[in-house]
Amino acid sequence: MRIDKYLANMNVGSRKEVHLLIKKGIVAVNGVTVKTPKQQVKESDQVTVNGDAVDYQKYHYFLLNKPKGVLSATEDRSQPTVISLLAPQDRYQGIVPVGRLDKDTTGLLLLTNDGQLNHELLAPNKHVDKIYRAKIAGVADDETVKTFAAGMTLGDGTKLQPAELTILAQDVDHDTSEIEIKIREGKYHQIKRMFGAVGMKVVELERISMGQLTLPEDLKRGEYLELQLDDIMK
C-alpha cells in the first residue's frame, strides 16, 4: 500500500498531515527517507516517523464497558457514540461496534475493524450466546422461565429462539426481580419486548458476556481494553 495510507491507517495523522511529515523528511522506510507519499510499502517493512517505529496492525479489537446515554454508532450530530469513548490514537479507520446495545443498556460491547469477525459474531446461524443481567419491574417465576425456554412469538409475529432465563432474586413486596438471560439472537429491543410480552418491564439491562468474552469486573463504565483475536475466538 502507499506510505500515506499506511501511516493514516495507523493513526499517525490524516493523509494531509502525513504528507507534511513526509515533506519534512522525517518518515523513513527500512532506513531510507521517504520522498513521496505514493511510495509503496509492505507490512513487513520497517517504517519510522522521526525515529519512532510504526508497526502495522491490520485489525484492532477493543472490549468496551458501555455506559448509559451513549449510542452504539460510529457518529452522531448531537449525542455521544461509543467511538467517541476511544482515545484519539485508537480511533482506527473502519472501527465499528459489533452489533448494538440500546442507548440505556450498559455492558460488554466489542469494537473492531475486522469485518469477517463482525459477521462471525452476528450471523444468526453462528449461534453466538449473549448473556444479560437485568432488573425487572414484575416478579419473574418458573412460568416465565418455561415461556422463554419454549421460544416466543411476539405480538407483531416475530418468532424468537428459546432463551435461558435464570432468576437471581425476587421481591414480591416491591414487584421486582433480578435475572440473567441467555439469548442467541439480537433482534431489535429483544429482551425488553420479551418481558413486555409477559407483562413486565426491563428497568436496567447489562450485557455481561458474548461468545467467549466476559465483561471484566474491574473494567469501569466507559473504559475499554485492547484484545487480540485469540482472546475472542478461543
Side-chain angles (χ1 to χ4, degrees):
M1 75 184 74
R2 286 172 45 139
I3 184 64
D4 57 351
K5 185 176 188 297
Y6 178 108
L7 293 175
N9 284 354
M10 292 301 96
N11 268 355
V12 172
S14 65
R15 287 285 187 100
K16 184 176 181 181
E17 291 168 337
V18 167
H19 289 183
L20 291 175
L21 295 176
I22 292 171
K23 185 176 279 189
K24 289 180 180 180
I26 61 174
V27 177
V29 175
N30 300 325
V32 180
T33 301
V34 174
K35 301 296 185 182
T36 170
K38 296 180 181 180
Q39 179 172 329
Q40 293 295 311
V41 60
K42 302 187 296 293
E43 293 180 18
S44 58
D45 288 333
Q46 293 182 326
V47 177
T48 59
V49 176
N50 206 22
D52 296 325
V54 180
D55 296 323
Y56 193 80
Q57 183 178 340
K58 187 174 184 180
Y59 297 125
H60 299 269
Y61 312 91
F62 299 105
L63 189 161
L64 169 72
N65 187 347
K66 179 189 170 298
K68 287 185 179 181
V70 178
L71 300 180
S72 295
T74 56
E75 58 182 354
D76 190 86
R77 291 183 178 182
S78 60
Q79 301 181 76
T81 71
V82 290
I83 300 300
S84 68
L85 297 176
L86 298 177
Q89 66 269 22
D90 290 332
R91 297 176 192 175
Y92 297 96
Q93 291 187 6
I95 291 281
V96 298
V98 177
R100 289 178 176 271
L101 292 181
D102 298 338
K103 182 179 177 181
D104 58 350
T105 299
T106 61
L108 188 155
L109 185 65
L110 185 66
L111 308 173
T112 185
N113 59 347
D114 186 340
Q116 181 59 36
L117 176 70
N118 198 326
H119 171 75
E120 290 284 330
L121 293 175
L122 295 180
N125 63 329
K126 298 299 180 179
H127 303 302
V128 176
D129 290 335
K130 293 170 276 288
I131 301 178
Y132 294 78
R133 187 172 290 147
K135 292 184 178 180
I136 306 297
V139 179
D141 56 20
D142 290 343
E143 284 303 312
T144 317
V145 173
K146 292 177 183 177
T147 298
F148 283 16
M152 302 177 68
T153 299
L154 300 178
D156 62 359
T158 300
K159 294 185 177 181
L160 302 177
Q161 295 179 14
E164 185 177 323
L165 177 64
T166 302
I167 300 171
L168 303 178
Q170 297 168 311
D171 187 336
V172 177
D173 292 337
H174 295 91
D175 194 32
T176 61
S177 308
E178 294 183 16
I179 62 92
E180 279 188 5
I181 182 169
K182 180 191 292 186
I183 62 173
R184 287 184 168 180
E185 303 167 285
K187 297 186 185 297
Y188 181 70
H189 290 319
Q190 179 173 336
I191 294 175
K192 294 178 180 177
R193 293 164 70 198
M194 291 173 71
F195 278 99
V198 293
M200 303 180 199
K201 181 179 179 181
V202 175
V203 178
E204 292 186 15
L205 185 62
E206 175 188 36
R207 182 157 67 192
I208 59 175
S209 76
M210 180 178 184
Q212 301 296 326
L213 295 176
T214 300
L215 186 66
E217 293 184 1
D218 59 350
L219 189 67
K220 297 178 181 178
R221 295 275 191 257
E223 294 184 344
Y224 65 94
L225 52 87
E226 186 163 9
L227 303 175
Q228 300 300 317
L229 182 59
D230 289 346
D231 299 323
I232 305 167
M233 305 295 287
K234 294 178 181 178

